[in-house]
Amino acid sequence: MKPSAFEYVRATSVDDAISALSQHGDEARLLAGGQSLIAMMNTRLAEPKVLVDIGRLSDLSYIRVDGDALSIGALTTHNTVLQSAEVAAHCPLVSAAYANVAHHTVRNRGTLGGNLCHNDPASEMPLVASLLDAELVLRGSGGERRVAAEDFFVDTFHTAAHADEILTEIRFARQGAGEGWAFEVVSQLKGDYAIVAAGCRFAMVDGVCRGVRLGFVGAGPAIKRVAAAETALEGQPVNGATIAAVAEAAVGAVDPHADMHADVQYKLDLVQALSERVLKQAASRAV
Amino acid sequence: MAKMPVSITVNGQRYEREVDPRLLLSDFIRHEIGLTGTHVGCENGACGVCAVLINGKTGLSCLAFAVQCDGDEIETIESLGTPSDLHPIQEAFWENHGLQCGFCTPAMVLTAHELLSRNASPSRAEIIEAIGGNLCRCTGYQTIVDSIEQAAEQMRAGKEEAA
Ligand SMILES: Cc1cc2nc3c(=O)[nH]c(=O)nc-3n(C[C@H](O)[C@H](O)[C@H](O)COP(=O)(O)OP(=O)(O)OC[C@H]3O[C@@H](n4cnc5c(N)ncnc54)[C@H](O)[C@@H]3O)c2cc1C
Ligand code: FES
Ligand code: FES
């Protein structure tokens, strides 16, 4: 048997899970779809003493429009989000990015909440949550709180969730009608983790971009939105000169690390190329 | 750690066992029940050869614990056809050279089975998307996609005949 031994607790409700977490402290880990955690346990990168399985909490699996937000339960599987017409209608950026998250079989079990809490630096959805000003709803022994995506993703494999807290819901801001948006990924194989990905959105008002959100995956351990690149486009039209300025600002601000897939220069080239690609595509969608 | 009781239905038969919580579903299927059609390669999600159907949907049996699957219905390759009476998907793999060494085949066939149960006429692109997580070191994939295309055709024809 590959993982080290642990005690298994199947939670019957969110409160049940919170009390198990409070009881076992740092020794316990939540288990959702298991598509990241069990892989880490099989290689003993993770050796929790207690696993609290929340995989059956079906009341945390839902997708609903809630005023200006699209609310998705943390236990909603990747494939459920990807196939949802509601998600495609209100947050097309989520659907477009999700098409690149893992492979079909992994998507059957992996969950949105597990993906965000895992916070792999090569993962698409943490960036999407930042671009869509998402709020993450956390419940723990101290009650419920909401954390903005900007504050939630602290560092590689590290989030603002406390050890006794469960992410219950993700509230994405609904995209405005006619806004420009795009998401592009370069990976070795579709469904593998991104080498570099880029996403952006903005409103086109009187021919210039407003409310610009632009960011990257794979461009640095804790880098998501890149303020310098956003500023370079704010209040500007999308044309050859502004695209070049945005790409230059992005390349100057990111800090990619070499890995087995690509060296630093290759990743910088991807930041440049993907900046251009997402801006052109977003501009063609904006009305 | 104390063993835990589980009751898991595999290919229509219920199995009750006492297992270590850390026993993977793949090892439960292979070692506890003795069904070795489910193969194991990387044991961390990367190769796809261990896929089985969990409540009708493909799942990697190396990324699930048996205790997590208590009460679930699992189908393995042994539930599809027999050597003398192949399932149409198996027949199509045979006819189209959809396998060479056969290591990836059980998971490929089950993944195709899930795809065809929700989409009777998948495009080539949809087939490639469905088997995206299944590695094959032998065939180069084209004959696998051919096999699944032909299986879809034959299964549609079979349904029309039955109607
Ligand atoms: C072959 C393969 C390819 C993949 N490719 C990609 C890819 O391209 N892009 C990508 O983004 N991901 C990819 N993944 C990872 C996949 O998306 C996982 O599903 C996801 O990262 C984790 O979700 P999960 O539900 O399986 O969580 P688990 O593995 O169960 O948990 C992950 C972590 O989150 C914690 N956690 C889970 N749920 C909660 C919650 N509700 N509240 C608080 N903490 C929680 C757990 O304690 C654990 O630390 C891939 C995985 C595999 C095996
Ligand atoms: S053995 Fe399960 S994915 Fe490789
Ligand atoms: S037939 Fe040998 S790995 Fe696919």
Side-chain angles (χ1 to χ4, degrees), chain B:
Chain B
M1 290 293 156
K3 294 199 178 220
M4 295 182 80
V6 292
S7 165
I8 301 178
T9 301
V10 181
N11 303 334
Q13 191 178 330
R14 200 148 104 199
Y15 294 89
E16 316 218 330
R17 294 284 191 277
E18 299 268 322
V19 301
D20 276 313
R22 62 174 164 157
L23 183 73
L24 295 170
L25 178 63
S26 47
D27 289 340
F28 179 83
I29 293 168
R30 291 175 57 85
H31 303 164
E32 290 288 329
I33 319 189
L35 293 175
T36 53
T38 300
H39 293 167
V40 164
C42 66
E43 296 192 277
N44 63 22
C47 75
V49 302
C50 66
V52 296
L53 297 180
I54 305 176
N55 300 326
K57 290 182 177 175
T58 51
L60 300 174
S61 59
C62 76
L63 294 188
F65 292 112
V67 285
Q68 248 182 308
C69 301
D70 185 27
D72 283 349
E73 307 227 350
I74 311 292
E75 281 169 78
T76 68
I77 191 64
E78 286 88 349
S79 70
L80 287 187
T82 62
S84 57
D85 181 21
L86 295 178
H87 186 277
I89 300 174
Q90 292 165 323
E91 188 90 39
F93 268 69
W94 184 15
E95 281 176 14
N96 293 281
H97 304 283
L99 67 152
Q100 288 179 26
C101 78
F103 194 66
C104 69
T105 314
M108 286 286 186
V109 169
L110 286 171
T111 306
H113 184 52
E114 186 210 17
L115 170 67
L116 299 182
S117 67
R118 63 190 153 81
N119 179 358
S121 327
S123 65
R124 252 184 120 76
E126 285 169 330
I127 294 172
I128 291 168
E129 174 75 30
I131 62 168
N134 299 62
L135 296 186
C136 175
R137 299 289 80 169
C138 303
T139 63
Y141 301 101
Q142 299 308 314
T143 55
I144 293 177
V145 180
D146 295 342
S147 304
I148 299 172
E149 268 188 323
Q150 190 195 310
E153 225 169 87
Q154 265 163 9
M155 286 165 72
R156 285 196 305 271
K159 266 203 194 118
E160 272 161 32
E161 225 165 81

Side-chain angles (χ1 to χ4, degrees), chain A residues 1-3 5-6 8 10 31 35 38-39 41-42 44 51 53 56 103-109 190, chain B residues 1 20-22 24 43-44 54 57-60 62-65 67-68 70 72 114 118 129 132-133:
Chain A
M1 279 176 271
K2 303 193 92 182
F6 58 84
Y8 173 84
R10 188 185 278 192
L31 176 66
Q35 302 302 289
I38 300 179
M41 290 174 68
N42 285 352
R44 300 210 178 184
L51 269 195
D53 186 0
R56 307 256 168 172
H103 308 283
H104 175 82
T105 298
V106 171
R107 291 199 302 256
N108 273 340
R109 293 182 73 76
K190 180 166 180 291
Chain B
M1 290 293 156
D20 276 313
R22 62 174 164 157
L24 295 170
E43 296 192 277
N44 63 22
I54 305 176
K57 290 182 177 175
T58 51
L60 300 174
C62 76
L63 294 188
F65 292 112
V67 285
Q68 248 182 308
D70 185 27
D72 283 349
E114 186 210 17
R118 63 190 153 81
E129 174 75 30

Side-chain angles (χ1 to χ4, degrees), chain A residues 29-37 54 74-75 78 100-103 106 109-111 113-115 117-118 123-124 165-167 191-193, chain B residues 44-46 63:
Chain A
R29 281 288 271 279
L30 291 171
L31 176 66
Q35 302 302 289
S36 292
L37 182 55
I54 53 172
L75 265 290
H78 298 336
N100 299 287
V101 174
H103 308 283
V106 171
R109 293 182 73 76
T111 67
N115 186 281
C117 290
H118 186 55
S123 197
E124 292 85 353
E165 280 182 322
I166 299 185
L167 174 64
D192 280 359
Y193 277 105
Chain B
N44 63 22
L63 294 188

Side-chain angles (χ1 to χ4, degrees), chain A residues 13-286:
Chain A
S13 67
V14 173
D15 289 338
D16 190 30
I18 292 169
S19 73
L21 289 179
S22 316
Q23 187 190 334
H24 296 286
D26 284 349
E27 311 233 290
R29 281 288 271 279
L30 291 171
L31 176 66
Q35 302 302 289
S36 292
L37 182 55
I38 300 179
M40 289 178 80
M41 290 174 68
N42 285 352
T43 49
R44 300 210 178 184
L45 288 170
E47 297 183 84
K49 295 277 179 294
V50 180
L51 269 195
V52 180
D53 186 0
I54 53 172
R56 307 256 168 172
L57 300 184
S58 50
D59 48 340
L60 290 187
S61 172
Y62 55 83
I63 296 169
R64 57 178 173 243
V65 176
D66 195 349
D68 287 340
L70 180 75
S71 301
I72 304 186
L75 265 290
T76 312
T77 65
H78 298 336
N79 267 340
T80 306
V81 178
L82 177 59
Q83 290 156 8
S84 160
E86 251 180 343
V87 174
H90 299 286
C91 292
L93 190 53
V94 172
S95 310
Y98 242 121
N100 299 287
V101 174
H103 308 283
H104 175 82
T105 298
V106 171
R107 291 199 302 256
N108 273 340
R109 293 182 73 76
T111 67
L112 175 59
N115 186 281
L116 296 175
C117 290
H118 186 55
N119 194 19
D120 191 300
S123 197
E124 292 85 353
M125 296 317 293
L127 170 62
V128 171
S130 303
L131 296 174
L132 289 174
D133 302 320
E135 274 188 327
L136 295 102
V137 183
L138 298 167
R139 256 168 75 187
S141 44
E144 189 172 286
R145 65 187 180 116
R146 292 184 181 193
V147 178
E150 285 293 272
D151 303 320
F152 184 74
F153 302 107
V154 177
D155 204 347
T156 299
F157 300 129
H158 192 60
T159 70
H162 300 146
D164 72 340
E165 280 182 322
I166 299 185
L167 174 64
T168 56
E169 184 176 277
I170 299 91
R171 300 170 61 82
F172 293 102
R174 283 166 58 196
Q175 289 180 248
E179 82 173 36
W181 62 272
F183 198 89
E184 285 285 324
V185 179
V186 172
S187 61
Q188 208 159 38
L189 174 71
K190 180 166 180 291
D192 280 359
Y193 277 105
I195 298 173
V196 175
C200 78
R201 57 186 285 244
F202 50 74
M204 193 63 95
V205 183
D206 300 329
V208 299
C209 301
R210 297 285 177 199
V212 178
R213 305 270 185 281
L214 176 73
F216 300 89
V217 174
I223 289 178
K224 306 225 190 293
R225 281 174 59 185
V226 174
E230 291 179 347
T231 312
L233 190 64
E234 191 68 39
Q236 302 292 325
V238 177
N239 58 35
T242 56
I243 290 175
V246 170
E248 194 188 325
V251 170
V254 297
D255 175 29
H257 292 197
D259 59 24
M260 66 175 168
H261 296 300
D263 60 19
V264 171
Q265 188 55 49
Y266 184 82
K267 290 190 180 184
L268 289 173
D269 289 350
L270 288 180
V271 167
Q272 160 102 29
L274 289 179
S275 300
E276 294 169 7
R277 221 180 278 170
V278 290
L279 288 187
K280 283 184 188 157
Q281 210 185 98
S284 75
R285 281 190 175 119

